[in-house]
């Protein structure tokens, strides 16, 4: 805007340029029709509308307003006149303002005006305002933007510069001059505003007082202004170019609020009837009244899908563009979620059928933390598989419907807790055996409180319950058994909860084990000839064979040998390495099962002097 510039202004502009890199207010960027490159806008304007425009004076000469409009210019601020910066302070009319007003109006641009002031007091400021009022009166209907008071220094020897340096003006007085000008504009039915550079607002005006009353038009030639006060217009360059104007033109962003703010609408549940929510509508933070300030109309607001609401302003808000918002109508919440069956690796669920049209249901589960999707179904029953045994799980279900490529989900059902049954015991082993007992062993499961032991009864040909051992114990000794005999066992895990509920796992596969045979009954141990020992015994029933051991050590701790003798034999000849000394002999029976020998206890130890 400034066509003459003082040394002070030039210095301030240089300082401003250096401050660009330090700005930290911007949060979004746009292009501009006037220059190349990005411009950064403070995040305070992220919800505002934005327009690009110019300000002009007779220095811009002839303007082709049709081309200007076609280039994307949306508004213009036109100079009406100025006061000379000489001591006389002559008021001068801009020779192009009428032509500019008529040309811009013909193209439908938003129009504001400004006056370049050099006022030293409120009397001169009012004089300048009245000068403007007289000239724009015939064009009052053209002007949709404020009447701006352009306050800035001219040259070092100019009347305003000199008064400031001499102390005849200070921030308070210069602020009073701006208020005086704006008051006249408002009294004549115009919105008023103040134009100045960033540092002029800081150093020469009480900008906080002005911004509470008037529109602020900030001049700051940068791509990223750090001005901390409020402003509506930002003159970011004096060297923009646009079709329809020869040479450079002042370039501006305008931030304005010309839309309804509508409170978000959370998804609403399908009812079978039309749904007409009434969200809160505000304009510039002012809460509006339905049927007084705006009307609502609805579309697609019955079936599951995306509904629309159109907000149309009326009366004082008739010129605010309609606002269209949307909200989702979602399926009803699933009810009646029930557990119908549990196994060691699955839980079966069912729920109440949905009343209306539905695409299907999603089933979710969790244990120890994160929810996971188990799958989808069109039925009202689902079995969640792949679970761990003897564990607590939670389940929930939600309905969904697909429309035009969008999936609409209903609210989740209330979560349902359930336990899986204990898994089948599969790792049974033998901890110990004797001729009259078998000790079983297995791995315990978390949450299992007991294990029921079953034994096969050949007479009834059934597995019959014997005893339940506590879950923390993983062994059971079955006594009173017959030697050398095969026995069959099964184990069932049991989980009893604190509320008394009992979950029983399936019986394990059978486990077969033999008791050890009885120790053989030795009949005689003799030495019939040199370096020979003969052992005879009474045959033992249900054996696979015998093991005979001899040694010069009574405890068989060294110098020992042994042989195996098949079942059916009742004598064995032992060859010793020496004669004339005592050898010790003992023997035992064994039963072979799955390649493993199960031994009886040792017989009595016999001593014999070898020939």
């Amino acid at each position: 805007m400034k066509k003459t510039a003082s040394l002070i202004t030039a210095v301030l502009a240089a300082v401003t340029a250096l401050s660009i890199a330090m700005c930290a207010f911007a949060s979004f960027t746009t292009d501009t029709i006037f220059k190349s490159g990005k411009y950064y806008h403070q995040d305070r304007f992220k919800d505002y509308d934005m327009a690009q425009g110019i300000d002009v004076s007779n220095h811009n000469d002839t303007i082709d307003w049709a081309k200007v409009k076609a280039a994307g210019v949306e508004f213009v601020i036109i100079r009406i006149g100025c006061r000379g910066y000489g001591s006389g302070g002559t008021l001068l009319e801009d020779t192009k303002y009428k032509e500019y007003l008529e040309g811009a109006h013909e193209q439908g641009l938003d129009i504001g005006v400004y006056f370049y002031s050099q006022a030293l007091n409120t009397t001169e400021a009012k004089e300048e305002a009245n000068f403007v009022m007289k000239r724009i009166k015939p064009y009052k209907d053209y002007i949709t933007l404020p009447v701006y008071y352009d306050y800035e220094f001219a040259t070092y020897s100019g009347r305003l510069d000199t008064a400031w340096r001499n102390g005849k003006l200070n921030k308070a007085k210069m602020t009073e001059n701006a208020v005086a000008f704006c008051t006249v504009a408002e009294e004549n039915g115009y919105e008023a505003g103040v134009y100045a550079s960033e540092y002029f607002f800081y150093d020469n005006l009480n900008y906080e007082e002005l911004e509470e009353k008037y529109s602020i038009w900030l001049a700051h030639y940068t791509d990223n202004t750090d001005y901390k006060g409020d402003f509506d217009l930002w003159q970011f360059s004096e060297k923009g170019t646009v079709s329809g104007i020869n040479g450079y033109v002042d370039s501006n962003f305008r931030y304005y609020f010309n839309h309804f703010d509508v409170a978000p609408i959370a998804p609403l549940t399908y009812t079978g009837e039309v749904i007409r929510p009434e969200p809160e509508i505000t304009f510039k933070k002012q809460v509006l009244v339905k049927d007084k300030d705006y009307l609502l109309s609805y579309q697609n607001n019955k079936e599951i899908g995306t509904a629309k609401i159109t907000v149309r302003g009326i009366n004082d808000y008739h010129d605010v563009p309609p606002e269209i918002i949307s909200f989702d109508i979602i399926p009803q919440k699933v009810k009646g979620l029930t557990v119908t069956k549990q196994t060691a690796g699955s839980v079966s669920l069912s729920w109440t059928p949905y009343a209306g049209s539905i695409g299907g249901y999603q089933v979710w589960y969790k244990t120890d933390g994160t929810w996971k999707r188990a799958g989808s179904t069109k039925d009202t029953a689902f079995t969640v598989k792949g679970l761990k045994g003897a564990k607590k799980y939670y389940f929930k279900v939600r309905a969904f419907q697909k429309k035009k490529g969008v999936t609409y989900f209903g609210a989740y059902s209330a979560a349902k807790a359930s336990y899986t049954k204990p898994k089948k015991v599969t790792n049974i082993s033998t901890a110990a055996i004797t001729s009259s007992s078998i000790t079983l062993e297995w791995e315990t499961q978390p949450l299992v409180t007991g294990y029921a032991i079953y034994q096969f009864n050949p007479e009834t040909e059934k597995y019959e319950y014997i005893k339940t051992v506590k879950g923390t114990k993983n062994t059971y000794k079955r006594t009173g058994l017959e030697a050398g005999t095969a026995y069959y066992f099964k184990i069932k895990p049991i989980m009893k909860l604190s509320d008394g509920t009992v979950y029983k796992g399936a019986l394990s596969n059978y486990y077969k084990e033999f008791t050890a045979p009885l120790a053989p009954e030795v009949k005689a141990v003799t030495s019939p000839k040199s370096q020979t020992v003969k052992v005879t015994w009474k045959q033992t029933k249900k054996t696979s064979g015998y093991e005979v051991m001899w040694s010069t050590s009574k405890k068989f701790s060294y110098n020992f040998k042994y042989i195996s003798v098949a079942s059916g034999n009742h004598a064995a000849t032992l060859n010793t390495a020496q004669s004339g000394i005592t050898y010790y002999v003992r023997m035992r029976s064994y039963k072979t099962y799955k390649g493993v020998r199960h031994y009886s206890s040792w017989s009595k130890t016999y001593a014999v002097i070898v020939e």
Side-chain angles (χ1 to χ4, degrees):
M1 174 182 295
K2 299 180 287 294
K3 303 308 174 184
T4 59
S6 67
L7 177 61
I8 294 175
T9 305
V11 172
L12 290 177
V15 172
T16 299
L18 291 174
S19 71
I20 294 172
M22 296 184 288
C23 177
F25 292 91
S27 68
F28 66 99
T29 62
T30 64
D31 297 320
T32 172
I33 62 175
F34 306 112
K35 297 172 71 70
S36 62
K38 296 288 185 181
Y39 280 78
Y40 298 81
H41 304 276
Q42 295 181 14
D43 59 2
R44 68 174 95 175
F45 299 116
K46 62 184 178 182
D47 294 327
Y48 278 63
D49 300 292
M50 189 185 305
Q52 297 189 63
I54 57 177
D55 58 271
V56 295
S57 68
N58 57 16
H59 296 88
N60 296 106
D61 204 5
T62 301
I63 297 176
D64 186 331
W65 289 101
K67 289 184 178 179
V68 168
K69 174 67 179 294
V73 173
E74 298 171 84
F75 69 90
V76 59
I77 313 296
I78 298 169
R79 189 177 76 167
I80 301 301
C82 63
R83 183 186 289 275
Y85 54 82
S87 60
T90 306
L91 298 182
L92 301 172
E93 183 181 279
D94 190 292
T95 58
K96 288 284 188 178
Y97 85 87
K98 294 180 182 179
E99 176 186 329
Y100 289 169
L101 282 169
E102 291 169 0
H105 177 68
E106 185 177 346
Q107 295 301 319
L109 299 180
D110 281 321
I111 298 172
V113 298
Y114 75 92
F115 184 88
Y116 179 86
S117 173
Q118 291 286 292
L120 302 182
N121 50 56
T122 57
T123 299
E124 289 187 350
K126 291 177 183 179
E127 180 186 18
E128 293 170 347
N130 286 317
F131 180 91
V132 174
M133 296 301 106
K134 179 179 179 181
R135 283 156 181 78
I136 64 174
K137 185 176 181 180
Y139 306 98
K140 187 170 185 177
D141 292 341
Y142 293 11
I143 297 172
T144 56
L145 300 180
V147 175
Y148 285 100
Y149 183 65
D150 173 7
Y151 216 14
E152 53 186 300
F153 293 124
T155 68
Y156 185 77
S157 58
R159 67 195 317 259
L160 192 61
D161 307 58
T162 301
W164 175 266
R165 287 198 316 276
N166 293 340
K168 293 182 179 180
L169 283 176
N170 55 33
K171 290 176 72 170
K173 290 181 179 180
M174 293 185 77
T175 302
E176 288 174 1
N177 294 342
V179 171
F181 180 97
C182 291
T183 299
V184 173
E186 289 181 332
E187 288 173 349
N188 283 269
Y190 299 95
E191 184 180 357
V194 179
Y195 166 95
S197 70
E198 178 189 33
Y199 284 98
F200 200 94
F201 275 122
Y202 287 159
D203 299 338
N204 303 99
L205 294 169
N206 292 323
Y207 69 90
E208 292 174 328
E209 175 185 341
L210 295 174
E211 68 186 23
E212 291 182 0
K213 302 177 182 178
Y214 312 117
S215 172
I216 299 299
W217 182 7
L218 170 69
H220 191 187
Y221 300 153
T222 173
D223 62 1
N224 192 356
T225 182
D226 60 356
Y227 181 64
K228 62 185 179 182
D230 291 337
F231 58 99
D232 307 299
L233 272 75
W234 171 25
Q235 186 186 76
F236 60 86
S237 175
E238 61 180 348
K239 292 187 176 181
T241 58
V242 68
S243 178
I245 298 178
N246 293 323
Y248 294 129
V249 65
D250 292 344
S251 310
N252 302 265
F253 288 111
R254 176 182 171 227
Y255 305 103
Y256 63 101
F257 209 98
N258 194 38
H259 64 271
F260 295 114
D261 271 339
V262 184
I265 303 174
L268 298 173
T269 302
Y270 170 80
T271 63
E273 305 293 335
V274 294
I275 299 175
R276 296 187 180 90
E278 295 187 2
E280 182 180 83
I281 311 297
T282 59
F283 184 83
K284 294 183 179 179
K285 300 182 180 180
Q286 175 69 38
V287 178
L288 305 186
V289 179
K290 182 175 176 287
D291 297 328
K292 174 187 174 185
D293 302 320
Y294 64 89
L295 299 174
L296 299 178
S297 60
Y298 300 85
Q299 289 179 291
N300 305 321
N301 60 323
K302 181 179 179 180
E303 303 299 330
I304 292 171
T306 299
K308 292 184 178 180
I309 303 176
T310 301
V311 184
R312 289 185 173 86
I314 57 175
N315 299 326
D316 292 344
Y317 301 93
H318 71 279
D319 57 348
V320 179
E323 190 78 18
I324 299 177
I325 62 167
S326 62
F327 66 94
D328 289 341
I329 299 177
I330 61 174
Q332 294 175 353
K333 183 177 181 179
V334 171
K335 297 179 180 179
L337 181 60
T338 304
V339 175
T340 58
K341 183 181 178 182
Q342 302 108 327
T343 71
S346 68
V347 172
S348 296
L349 308 164
S350 68
W351 51 90
T352 304
Y354 196 81
S357 173
I358 198 68
Y361 304 90
Q362 274 189 350
V363 181
W364 294 73
Y365 73 97
K366 77 169 183 176
T367 183
D368 303 330
T370 307
W371 285 97
K372 298 179 181 179
R373 188 160 67 91
S376 300
T377 180
K378 290 187 176 181
D379 298 325
T380 56
F382 188 87
T383 297
V384 182
K385 299 178 181 180
L387 305 179
K388 296 180 179 180
K391 200 167 184 66
K392 187 176 184 179
Y393 286 87
Y394 294 88
F395 303 90
K396 62 183 181 181
V397 179
R398 63 177 177 177
F400 66 86
Q401 180 68 285
K402 291 185 178 180
K403 273 194 173 182
K404 296 180 180 180
V406 179
T407 302
Y408 299 89
F409 293 101
Y412 287 105
S413 66
K416 185 73 174 179
S418 179
Y419 288 84
T420 50
K421 290 184 176 181
K423 66 181 181 179
K424 183 189 290 187
V425 176
T426 58
N427 51 357
I428 305 171
S429 61
T430 302
I433 62 171
T434 69
S435 59
S436 62
S437 68
I438 297 174
T439 302
L440 302 175
E441 187 175 38
W442 59 91
E443 184 179 345
T444 59
Q445 299 181 46
L447 301 183
V448 171
T449 55
Y451 296 88
I453 312 300
Y454 292 77
Q455 182 179 327
F456 184 73
N457 186 340
E459 294 181 2
T460 62
E461 296 186 345
K462 293 181 180 180
Y463 281 88
E464 298 178 351
Y465 171 76
I466 302 172
K467 184 179 181 180
T468 297
V469 298
K470 292 184 178 180
T472 55
K473 186 176 180 181
N474 66 335
T475 60
Y476 172 69
K477 185 176 182 180
R478 180 61 169 159
T479 60
L481 305 179
E482 186 176 342
T485 303
Y487 289 89
Y488 297 82
F489 300 93
K490 290 185 178 182
I491 302 177
K492 177 184 290 187
I494 300 172
M495 182 172 67
K496 186 174 182 180
L497 304 181
S498 58
D499 63 359
T501 304
V502 176
Y503 294 90
K504 296 181 179 181
L507 279 170
S508 67
N509 296 335
Y510 75 83
Y511 182 75
K512 179 182 179 182
E513 186 57 280
F514 284 88
T515 50
L518 291 172
E521 183 180 340
V522 179
K523 295 172 66 177
V525 179
T526 61
S527 178
K529 59 181 180 178
S530 177
Q531 296 184 351
T532 301
V533 174
K534 185 176 181 180
V535 182
T536 59
W537 61 87
K538 186 178 180 180
Q539 280 194 333
T540 306
K541 295 179 180 181
K542 299 181 180 180
T543 61
S544 300
Y546 305 94
E547 187 176 87
V548 185
M549 191 175 189
W550 67 98
S551 174
T552 57
S553 167
K554 190 175 183 179
K555 293 183 177 181
F556 298 88
S557 58
Y558 61 89
N559 195 26
F560 60 83
K561 288 184 179 182
Y562 60 86
I563 61 171
S564 294
V565 181
S567 176
N569 294 306
H570 55 82
T573 298
L574 313 177
N575 296 316
T576 64
Q578 301 177 59
S579 297
I581 65 170
T582 300
Y583 272 83
Y584 298 93
V585 180
R586 65 183 180 180
M587 65 180 299
R588 61 184 176 179
S589 307
Y590 65 83
K591 184 76 175 180
T592 303
Y593 176 58
K594 291 185 178 181
V596 178
R597 290 181 177 183
H598 299 293
Y599 292 97
S600 70
S601 57
W602 289 103
S603 67
K604 176 183 174 182
T605 299
Y606 295 86
V608 59
I609 299 174
V610 179
E611 292 294 331

